[in-house]
Amino acid sequence: MQIFFPKEREEEKRVSILPETAKKLLEIGMHVEVESGIGQDLFLSDGLYEGMGIKVSKDRKTSLSSSDIICRINKPELDEVAVQKKDSLHISFLDPFNNTNLIKKFADSNIISISMELIPRITRAQKMDALSSQANLGGYAAVIEASRCLSKSFPMMMTAAGTISPSRVFIIGVGVAGLQAIATAKRLGARVEAFDTRPVVEEQVKSLGAKFIKIDVGDTGETEQGYAKELTKDQIKIQQEGMKNICSRSNVVITTAQVFGRPAPLILTTEMIEAMQPGSVVVDMAVSTGGNVEGSLPNKVIISKNGVSIIGLSNLPGEVASDASLVYGNNLFNLINEYWDADSKKFSFDLDDEILSKCVVTHKGKIVNKLVMERI
Ligand code: NAD
C-alpha cells in the first residue's frame, strides 16, 4: 500500500511528515513516498528522507494518481482530487462546513476523505487530535508574538534604576490554545486573567495561577464534545460590557474564542480597543474563522487610531513549524496505525467505529458524515 505526502502550498511552513515519523510508517509495512522538497522550509533535505528508506518523488502528479493514501496538512485543490485513484483515501484538515465543493468532489470522485478537524474529542482519539496538537502550539506562539510586539517586558523587575511592573495579559477563550497561552504568559512572568463562557474552565485557569474573570451572561452550556455553544447577541453584549474594563487595563489581549463549525464570535469591538492604552497588543487567534476582533485581518498587523497593535496571524502553529510538524505527523501516524491491519497490509474501514464514524466525510461515492450532511 502506497502512502504519499505532497509538498504543502508555498505559504505553509509546516511539513506533513518528518523523516523519523515517515520511517515509522515504513516499519509497519507501508510504501512511503514524499514529494521532493517537502521539508525545505525546515532545512530537511530530500537526502534525510532517503536516508530513512523513504522514496522521494519528483513527479507529484504520478504519485498523487498512484497512491492509496494521500496525507496533507491543508485541503487539496479540486484538480488534484480529480487525479486521485478511485477508492483511495485522503487525510487532511478540510474545513468541511465551508468547502461544499471540495466535499462533493471527493464524493463524486469516489475518494474516501477524513477531516482532521472532525477527530472526536474522546480519550481513545487524543493521540490523533490534530486540532489540539496545533492549537496548543498556536497558544504558545500567540504569546511569543505579543511579547515581541509589546514595548514592555512581561515580568516584574526590581532594579536600582527603578521598578518595572509586570505586563497584564488577558486571555479570552480557555480551550486548548487559551490554556497554553495562559501557561506561557505565566512562565514569562505576566499577570494573567482569563475568561470563557464555559464556567467549568474556572478551575483550570486557577490551577495555572491565573485569575478567572466572572461575567454572568446567563445560560451558556457546552456540547457533548465539550465545545462552547453560540451566545445570543444579548449575551455577547453583556460579555463585551463586562470585559471593557479588563481590556482597558491589559497590555496584551489574546482572543481564542471559537464555536465549533460556526464563524468565531465578534468579541472585541472598536470601542473596546479605543479604550485600551496606546502601545497595547491584541492577538486575534480566530482571525481565519471570522475573527474575534473588529478590524483584524489575516496575516496583517493593524495599528488602531489610539495605537493598539492588532495581530491577525492565521497560521500561528506555523510560527513553531518544526514542533507543529512533529506532532501533526504523529497524529497522522497514530490515526493510520490504529486502523492498519499488518497482516493484510490494508487500512480497515469500519464506519461504525466511534472515531471513524465521526471523521470520515465521504465513502463509496457518498457523503456519510452526519454533521457534514446537516451543515452543507
Ligand atoms: P475551541 O477552539 O472550539 O474554542 C476555544 C474556546 O473559546 C473554548 O474554550 C470556548 O468555550 C471558548 N469560547 C467560545 N465562545 C466564547 C465567547 N463568546 N467568549 C469567550 N470564550 C468563548 O475549543 P478547543 O480548544 O477545541 O476545546 C474545546 C473543548 O474540548 C474543551 O473543553 C477542551 O478541554 C476539550 N478537549 C477535549 C479533549 C479530549 O480528548 N477529551 C481534547 C481536546 C479538547
Side-chain angles (χ1 to χ4, degrees):
M1 180 155 286
Q2 181 172 312
I3 184 165
F4 179 54
F5 296 83
K7 246 165 80 171
E8 294 294 315
R9 53 176 202 232
E10 215 174 293
E11 62 275 21
E12 179 59 79
K13 297 177 204 148
R14 293 169 295 173
V15 175
S16 54
I17 195 100
L18 297 183
E20 54 269 36
T21 322
K23 188 173 173 226
K24 291 201 279 182
L25 288 166
L26 207 66
E27 285 165 354
I28 60 169
M30 300 188 112
H31 172 85
V32 189
E33 280 192 25
V34 297
E35 185 176 351
S36 175
I38 186 173
Q40 66 193 18
D41 286 350
L42 295 180
F43 306 102
L44 301 168
S45 66
D46 286 354
L48 271 176
Y49 286 89
E50 283 165 336
M52 298 280 180
I54 312 300
K55 182 171 173 214
V56 173
S57 163
K58 289 205 166 21
D59 185 345
R60 177 179 176 107
K61 201 167 171 191
T62 301
S63 296
L64 283 173
S65 59
S66 62
S67 296
D68 305 288
I69 304 181
I70 289 162
C71 297
R72 290 182 163 92
I73 300 172
N74 297 291
K75 67 182 165 76
E77 296 297 332
L78 290 181
D79 59 346
E80 292 212 321
V81 174
V83 302
Q84 256 187 258
K85 249 185 359 189
K86 196 175 161 221
D87 290 329
S88 60
L89 168 63
H90 186 282
I91 311 177
S92 73
F93 285 115
L94 296 175
D95 191 10
F97 307 126
N98 296 310
N99 287 298
T100 312
N101 284 349
L102 175 63
I103 301 307
K104 286 190 176 144
K105 184 82 186 167
F106 276 128
D108 294 345
S109 316
N110 267 291
I111 311 289
I112 306 162
S113 57
I114 288 183
S115 167
M116 290 302 272
E117 292 93 338
L118 297 180
I119 298 277
R121 258 65 195 277
I122 56 172
T123 309
R124 197 181 134 220
Q126 269 178 356
K127 59 188 177 187
M128 313 165 195
D129 181 355
L131 267 188
S132 291
S133 73
Q134 303 302 296
N136 175 45
L137 288 164
Y140 163 82
V143 175
I144 301 300
E145 284 301 318
S147 73
R148 258 188 228 163
C149 203
L150 188 72
S151 57
K152 188 174 159 43
S153 82
F154 267 36
M156 179 174 138
M157 295 183 199
M158 293 172 84
T159 75
T163 299
I164 295 169
S165 60
S167 290
R168 298 186 81 121
V169 176
F170 182 33
I171 313 283
I172 303 173
V174 190
V176 178
L179 282 172
Q180 185 55 257
I182 294 173
T184 305
K186 282 297 292 180
R187 279 185 213 118
L188 289 175
R191 282 178 69 172
V192 185
E193 295 172 301
F195 171 76
D196 197 294
T197 51
R198 293 178 302 119
V200 291
V201 302
E202 180 172 355
E203 276 314 303
Q204 298 165 17
V205 170
K206 284 184 180 159
S207 73
L208 290 170
K211 184 176 169 197
F212 186 74
I213 300 295
K214 289 191 180 173
I215 302 167
D216 186 3
V217 293
D219 190 21
T220 50
E222 59 180 31
T223 68
E224 61 181 49
Q225 289 262 327
Y227 288 114
K229 290 194 174 154
E230 201 168 18
L231 297 190
T232 63
K233 278 193 182 145
D234 289 345
Q235 285 177 310
I236 289 274
K237 262 225 123 14
I238 298 170
Q239 176 181 354
Q240 287 167 337
E241 279 307 313
M243 282 181 174
K244 203 166 159 185
N245 197 16
I246 299 141
C247 290
S248 70
R249 67 174 187 229
S250 301
N251 304 103
V252 171
V253 177
I254 296 178
T255 67
T256 80
Q258 302 271 6
V259 179
F260 185 74
R262 308 234 172 260
L266 179 70
I267 294 174
L268 240 69
T269 59
T270 302
E271 191 194 334
M272 291 161 84
I273 292 165
E274 281 174 357
M276 290 176 69
Q277 303 153 46
S280 312
V281 175
V282 174
V283 183
D284 184 356
M285 283 196 70
V287 70
S288 50
T289 51
N292 292 146
V293 181
E294 197 167 356
S296 70
L297 286 173
N299 303 320
K300 292 257 185 313
V301 180
I302 309 284
I303 315 284
S304 73
K305 268 198 236 154
N306 59 323
V308 175
S309 303
I310 305 165
I311 303 175
L313 285 173
S314 56
N315 184 3
L316 278 161
E319 298 301 310
V320 276
S322 182
D323 291 332
S325 305
L326 171 75
V327 289
Y328 184 78
N330 284 340
N331 293 143
L332 285 178
F333 172 79
N334 292 328
L335 171 65
I336 292 161
N337 193 34
E338 184 82 10
Y339 299 103
W340 178 249
D341 182 349
D343 297 331
S344 64
K345 295 213 174 355
K346 282 207 172 114
F347 192 92
S348 48
F349 278 101
D350 169 9
L351 292 190
D352 291 330
D353 173 88
E354 60 179 343
I355 299 172
L356 292 179
S357 63
K358 296 282 190 317
C359 66
V360 173
V361 180
T362 57
H363 188 255
K364 291 204 188 304
K366 285 195 198 129
I367 301 173
V368 291
N369 189 285
K370 256 188 167 168
L371 261 186
V372 176
M373 278 193 280
E374 278 166 23
R375 300 276 175 90
I376 70 174

